[in-house]
Amino acid sequence: MSNDSSSCGGHGHSHGHEHTHPHSEGGCCGGHGHEHGHDHDHAHEGGCCGHDHGGHGQTKPLFDGPIFKNDFERREFLKTAIPGAIAGAALTIPIAGYMVLPSIEGNKHSWVSVGPVEKFVLGETVLVELTNPDDFSWAGVTSKVAAWVRYVAEGEFIAFSVNCSHLGCPVRWLPNAKLFMCPCHGGVYSNDGHVVAGPPPKSLNRYEVRIEGGQVQLKTQAIFLA
Amino acid sequence: MLKKTQKAVIGTLEWLEDRTGLWAMFGPVLTHLAPRDAKWWYVYGSATLMAFMIQVATGVALMFSYIPSGGQAYDSLKYIADVAPWGHLIRGMHYFGASAMILLIGIHMGQVFFHGSYKFPREMNWVTGIALLAFTIGLGFTGQTLRWDSNAVWSIVVAAEQAARVPFIGHWLAHFILAGDNINGATLGRFFTLHVFVLPALAIAGIGLHMVLVMRHGIAEMPDEAHPVIPETYREEYHARLEKTGVPFWLMAWRDSVFSLVVVLAVVFAAIYFNPPPVELPPDPSIIETDPIPDFYLRWYLAVLALAQSDMEDYIILGAPALIGILLFAIPFLSSSGHRAPSKRPWAIVSLLTAMLVVGAFWIEAEKGNWTPNFHPKPLTPELIGATEGPIWHGAQLFQEKGCINCHSLANNGGHRGPDLTYVGDRLHKDNLTIRINMGGVNMPAYAGSLTGDDLRDLISFLETRKKKQPALEGEAAKEEPAKKS
């Protein structure tokens, strides 16, 4: 913008039309009355100092401005553009980094107790909830997740992720049928989490389980992604 | 005195205009010539703008109370919906305003396509319009997530899982959406920022550009078989016709004004007399009683995904939006000249109708939602079972316990994921039933391992009695005519 007048003046291009009218926002390049708004911008960005514009209402050459006609103008353009580009980069890098880095760094995962061993009944599969201790203090209930935990045998537990391997919806356990069923698209998993029907591509994901000081503990983990 | 005042007012206005140039800048919007036949067909664009303004105004109002924090958003929204004076009204207006905006965009697009108004030189009017459609859908989806209830968090999980299907960067993309490797305290911030800052800014810029283009190319005339678009001469002829018969825009704008009023009143009345989607259970991912469903205007697309066959699913999840997007952007470049009149563009009309039918059909399927199992079927009644003890009764209990009823319905009770079994006894014999139950199918688990021989026998006896005319029960047999089945 700033080199508009300087290059015009400095180079002595002939002005097709001077600003002859106080309100002639389109006057510079002629053009149609209906197109005033646009012509205004166009004129100031490069049309003003170009060659003759032909008669009123004729199609005028686009981009016939001063930019890139000779080395002087190229230099003038770069004088404006390069600092702008550097400023843009100086702003973009920290902002993009701030937004993207947390999702690259990954989360910390740790063992979380879901209850004493006595609470679980041998052979039964129950829903437990665990709260991610790594989450923000303002996360509230959002930091909770659920898991299906089964007391398989003395000292042995299995924990399934509730997330269907299809699109992540929470599967439900049908105790009599001994099946996990997904409410979204009817994916069905067997007792041991294998797909037996519907769209899921993979078995139910499992959590690591351990027994520590009489407590059943699950290790938090990333949500399963297909 | 009056003259003096008048002079002072005019003087002030002239001074203002001299120093600001506002009239020079915006006056042409009012005074530019519009085709005289631009009547009721042309009100949908301005009505869409009005809907957007409703959204901005009600959105700002909602922000007075909304707290974009993972732990508090739900409570603040509950407060807006249930407690805040007129909060229910404003939330309703924001919801119905969004619905109106999406519907009006659909109508506006349909009208522009129907009349071929996207053709030369207005290709970029269409392209910026498609970008605005994308921003609006983005606003719709992110807006639903700001309800920050169980439906919202599970919708985000599903969105992240879909993004994870993108080759190479999928998992990173999913983690970016979730703001981590699972739903957490930072997740809401992303959707909030998109909904309240990024997308509205893009929409406002897009609307500005869209309007500049309307001014630049002028409002399209009603299509006329006698005036096909010939790019070499179109502009000249358009302006020539306009000079002769055009009318200043502000003399035609009353229709826009009236229709926009209708839209505003409809939104206000809808907010008063109907409820926006409820704020569901808290955003606690350990609550699994959920079936994440988008609001109605995105539901047809849910059906596309749900009905996709599993082995082509990845291609549909990723390919369908890409293909629809590319096709929409490409429309003005596929046919940028020639006839605009619908009567001369039969294939365009066929395409429009096909698109409407396809979306409509998916919409109907989405309303039925037959792909979801029914987790809360009513218990089968003895009347329906036709027995209160014995193998048939036992079979009926197995039908419910083993999960059959979650996907198969009997007399409209149960799920619709699998075939309706109300009259399965008429269709299948014992052997077929045995094979199907034991072997399962693509969408049905095999039960060979989980049913004992006796259980299977009873279940089949129960299913065999599912016929159009129930075989008469013992004791009551004498009253009924013996049912003969062919």
Side-chain angles (χ1 to χ4, degrees):
Chain A
M1 286 290 179
S2 63
N3 61 6
D4 196 2
S5 58
S6 71
S7 65
C8 278
H11 268 255
H13 281 285
S14 65
H15 288 236
H17 295 266
E18 287 289 350
H19 291 269
T20 50
H21 194 275
H23 294 257
S24 76
E25 68 293 325
C28 192
C29 303
H32 262 272
H34 327 295
E35 299 176 1
H36 277 183
H38 171 80
D39 282 350
H40 180 60
D41 294 342
H42 174 59
H44 277 263
E45 268 160 30
C48 203
C49 309
H51 313 270
D52 52 338
H53 291 289
H56 177 90
Q58 290 228 311
T59 12
K60 60 248 169 224
L62 290 170
F63 303 119
D64 193 22
I67 291 175
F68 286 179
K69 273 225 203 74
N70 54 45
D71 283 350
F72 172 79
E73 281 158 355
R74 190 170 295 117
R75 264 198 313 279
E76 288 300 312
F77 171 76
L78 292 177
K79 252 158 80 180
T80 311
I82 289 175
I86 295 172
L91 288 171
T92 305
I93 291 167
I95 293 170
Y98 172 77
M99 293 199 293
V100 167
L101 285 177
S103 39
I104 292 178
E105 276 181 356
N107 302 52
K108 276 190 274 178
H109 294 290
S110 48
W111 292 97
V112 177
S113 295
V114 295
V117 176
E118 308 87 73
K119 205 185 80 179
F120 295 87
V121 179
L122 202 62
E124 283 196 3
T125 307
V126 293
L127 192 69
V128 301
E129 56 174 64
L130 44 159
T131 304
N132 176 12
D134 186 35
D135 209 342
F136 303 99
S137 59
W138 60 86
V141 293
T142 312
S143 56
K144 293 205 252 177
V145 287
W148 289 107
V149 173
R150 180 182 305 145
Y151 191 1
V152 186
E154 200 60 50
E156 194 192 339
F157 283 84
I158 300 179
F160 295 99
S161 160
V162 293
N163 298 110
C164 182
S165 71
H166 180 224
L167 287 174
C169 293
V171 297
R172 300 179 201 182
W173 170 246
L174 306 180
N176 291 312
K178 300 207 179 306
L179 296 170
F180 293 101
M181 202 183 265
C182 180
C184 286
H185 307 109
V188 185
Y189 302 84
S190 65
N191 201 23
D192 55 2
H194 292 306
V195 184
V196 288
K202 289 202 172 117
S203 301
L204 274 185
N205 208 26
R206 294 192 185 190
Y207 284 93
E208 289 181 62
V209 199
R210 72 178 185 188
I211 300 169
E212 192 81 4
Q215 291 280 325
V216 179
Q217 295 192 327
L218 267 57
K219 192 169 184 191
T220 61
Q221 63 186 21
I223 197 169
F224 176 78
L225 298 171
Chain B
M1 184 65 200
L2 197 70
K3 261 229 161 105
K4 242 184 177 169
T5 319
Q6 199 179 14
K7 220 176 155 190
V9 169
I10 290 174
T12 309
L13 286 177
E14 274 177 350
W15 181 89
L16 210 59
E17 174 58 14
D18 180 64
R19 301 304 195 277
T20 64
L22 283 176
W23 176 251
M25 209 185 302
F26 294 109
V29 175
L30 297 179
T31 56
H32 78 282
L33 293 179
R36 66 180 315 143
D37 52 7
K39 291 182 180 167
W40 291 103
W41 276 103
Y42 289 67
V43 297
Y44 302 109
S46 57
T48 308
L49 180 61
M50 176 52 89
F52 180 71
M53 293 195 289
I54 296 175
Q55 292 312 92
V56 172
T58 53
V60 168
L62 288 170
M63 273 310 301
F64 273 59
S65 308
Y66 186 77
I67 301 173
S69 138
Q72 291 173 306
Y74 179 79
D75 291 339
S76 70
L77 196 61
K78 275 282 192 197
Y79 166 77
I80 292 169
D82 302 333
V83 182
W86 294 15
H88 183 80
L89 175 71
I90 298 298
R91 186 170 108 82
M93 284 171 67
H94 201 63
Y95 171 74
F96 291 108
S99 306
M101 189 169 164
I102 298 232
L103 283 178
L104 287 165
I105 287 179
I107 299 171
H108 182 49
M109 271 175 76
Q111 180 264 321
V112 166
F113 184 82
F114 184 62
H115 284 159
S117 309
Y118 58 83
K119 295 193 176 195
F120 177 92
R122 300 185 180 84
E123 296 96 331
M124 292 305 288
N125 297 40
W126 175 271
V127 167
T128 51
I130 298 301
L132 285 169
L133 169 70
F135 300 152
T136 308
I137 291 172
L139 280 163
F141 179 74
T142 53
Q144 288 166 43
T145 65
L146 296 198
R147 266 173 231 152
W148 207 238
D149 56 2
S150 51
N151 196 33
V153 292
W154 286 106
S155 295
I156 293 174
V157 168
V158 172
E161 294 277 353
Q162 289 186 20
R165 309 277 182 112
V166 175
F168 309 116
I169 57 162
H171 284 210
W172 177 82
L173 215 55
H175 287 168
F176 181 71
I177 290 171
L178 294 168
D181 62 14
N182 212 329
I183 293 278
N184 66 78
T187 311
L188 175 61
R190 279 166 157 48
F191 289 86
F192 176 77
T193 308
L194 282 175
H195 186 77
V196 174
F197 296 107
V198 180
L199 288 168
L202 287 171
I204 289 169
I207 289 168
L209 185 54
H210 201 63
M211 310 265 262
V212 165
L213 291 176
V214 171
M215 290 299 292
R216 175 169 172 79
H217 300 301
I219 293 170
E221 299 149 295
M222 283 294 279
D224 185 342
E225 284 183 23
H227 302 299
V229 175
I230 303 159
E232 290 74 30
T233 56
Y234 176 80
R235 280 189 164 116
E236 230 168 289
E237 288 178 2
Y238 171 79
H239 288 300
R241 284 196 294 270
L242 222 53
E243 299 288 347
K244 249 193 276 168
T245 63
V247 181
F249 175 72
W250 68 275
L251 288 177
M252 323 222 26
W254 65 271
R255 290 182 190 84
D256 298 89
S257 194
V258 168
F259 188 68
S260 288
L261 172 66
V262 170
V263 169
V264 169
L265 291 180
V267 166
V268 173
F269 280 115
I272 292 173
Y273 293 108
F274 303 101
N275 290 316
V279 183
E280 292 180 10
L281 297 168
D284 175 350
S286 74
I287 297 174
I288 62 166
E289 282 291 320
T290 182
D291 173 18
I293 287 180
D295 286 347
F296 82 92
Y297 43 87
L298 282 178
R299 229 171 267 168
W300 67 273
Y301 186 64
L302 176 83
V304 174
L305 296 181
L307 296 171
Q309 275 182 314
S310 58
D311 50 345
M312 23 184 315
E313 192 176 69
D314 279 3
Y315 302 101
I316 293 178
I317 286 178
L318 303 174
L323 194 72
I324 294 172
I326 290 169
L327 198 65
L328 285 175
F329 277 118
I331 282 173
F333 305 102
L334 295 177
S335 77
S336 73
S337 60
H339 277 292
R340 287 181 52 211
S343 56
K344 295 282 187 186
R345 295 159 58 234
W347 288 108
I349 305 315
V350 168
S351 319
L352 182 63
L353 289 176
T354 308
M356 284 160 69
L357 284 175
V358 167
V359 171
F362 278 117
W363 232 325
I364 292 168
E365 284 304 309
E367 286 312 309
K368 287 196 265 176
N370 282 351
W371 53 82
T372 59
N374 180 350
F375 283 96
H376 303 289
K378 284 183 294 213
L380 297 177
T381 59
E383 293 77 53
L384 184 71
I385 296 169
T388 50
E389 55 185 12
I392 292 178
W393 169 259
H394 183 229
Q397 302 315 308
L398 289 166
F399 187 81
Q400 300 175 83
E401 286 168 10
K402 295 291 180 184
C404 311
I405 197 169
N406 298 118
C407 291
H408 295 284
S409 77
L410 291 175
N412 233 349
N413 182 29
H416 296 277
R417 170 88 179 137
D420 188 308
L421 300 184
T422 312
Y423 301 123
V424 68
D426 291 334
R427 296 198 301 272
L428 297 175
H429 291 282
K430 195 173 184 168
D431 298 346
N432 314 115
L433 287 167
T434 310
I435 290 171
R436 293 194 186 200
I437 294 170
N438 276 334
M439 307 287 287
V442 176
N443 288 319
M444 173 172 160
Y447 278 88
S450 57
L451 282 172
T452 66
D454 288 353
D455 283 352
L456 183 64
R457 192 198 56 217
D458 290 353
L459 182 56
I460 287 173
S461 351
F462 168 66
L463 290 174
E464 278 187 304
T465 59
R466 303 299 102 195
K467 299 187 181 213
K468 277 236 165 66
K469 209 166 220 177
Q470 296 281 336
L473 298 175
E474 331 121 50
E476 290 170 13
K479 292 179 219 159
E480 300 260 321
E481 241 178 278
K484 265 270 181 223
K485 283 269 158 219
S486 58

